[in-house]
Structures are given as structure tokens and as C-alpha cells.
Amino acid sequence: CQVTLKKLIDIFNSNLNVQGFDYLPTLAKHISKIANTGVRNLGTWAGNLGLKHGHLEFPSDIFLCFETVNATITLLSENNQPIQISPVQLLNFDLKGFLIYSVQFKPFNPKTSIVQTFK
């Protein structure tokens, strides 16, 4: 949950050759255009989603990228019970007592799926 946008970009780019996750560098390129270097070095993907949660009008590129690839967000309750939800479900979820903990991505078949983003 404390993974900065810069670290997320690095993680995505380091998975260039992982079968089914060919789309991650596309997300990395998109995220590299968010805000400025200072924000990407300090801001986290979870913080960005928390901001979107609190301000639905906030144009979160992280939210859009995660929703585009059907990512699953894991929340942890105060009792360390995990709950998995979609980015859209996060928008109306009462986060009181929860931590945005992790995100999981699903493999796509590159022969049948193309992921492109535009900024």
C-alpha cells in the first residue's frame, strides 16, 4: 500500500516478458505522465485511490488504469480480514476501519486483448 507511483512504474516495466501481463508497460507509460516527478516519487497508488474515494470528481488516472484492466483491490479490516473489491466498488465502500492494502492484476491473452490508454 505504500508503493509510490515511481515504484509502480518500475514494477510494471520489470514485467515486460511475463506472459499475460504484456499490458503492464502500457500502464507504466500512462502513469509516468501523471503529475510531476516529485509527486510520482512521493505519492502512492493507494493514496491516489483514497483521494478518488473521498472526492469522486477527482480525475484519477490510477483509478482509470486499474478499472481498465479489471484489477482487484484488497482492503484489510482492523481485524486483518481481507476484502477484495473492484475499483468501481471502492468508490462507494465505507473505508472507515479499512486500509487499501494491495492490488492484483489478471493476465490477458495478447492474441485476444489489447490494452491502450491515452493521456
Side-chain angles (χ1 to χ4, degrees):
C1 61
Q2 293 185 11
V3 175
T4 65
L5 298 178
K6 171 66 171 114
K7 180 67 175 170
L8 188 63
I9 292 166
D10 294 343
I11 291 167
F12 287 173
N13 282 329
S14 70
N15 287 287
L16 285 170
N17 300 315
V18 179
Q19 187 174 351
F21 294 93
D22 311 83
Y23 63 89
L24 291 178
T26 299
L27 298 185
K29 183 177 178 183
H30 186 106
I31 294 168
S32 71
K33 297 176 183 177
I34 294 173
N36 59 46
T37 302
V39 170
R40 290 189 302 272
N41 286 339
L42 294 174
T44 65
W45 66 265
N48 185 284
L49 291 180
L51 182 59
K52 176 68 174 174
H53 178 270
H55 302 276
L56 297 179
E57 72 281 2
F58 175 66
S60 170
D61 287 282
I62 297 298
F63 172 82
L64 290 174
C65 286
F66 287 9
E67 182 62 23
T68 297
V69 297
N70 198 26
T72 301
I73 298 166
T74 300
L75 306 175
L76 277 185
S77 71
E78 293 173 325
N79 301 326
N80 288 325
Q81 296 298 314
I83 295 175
Q84 294 189 327
I85 61 174
S86 72
V88 168
Q89 290 171 318
L90 177 70
L91 296 180
N92 295 312
F93 191 90
D94 182 2
L95 285 176
K96 185 175 181 179
F98 286 89
L99 171 71
I100 300 173
Y101 182 70
S102 67
V103 62
Q104 296 83 36
F105 299 93
K106 297 164 182 65
F108 284 9
N109 182 340
K111 293 180 181 178
T112 59
S113 302
I114 297 172
V115 175
Q116 290 185 317
T117 65
F118 301 93
K119 177 127 176 96

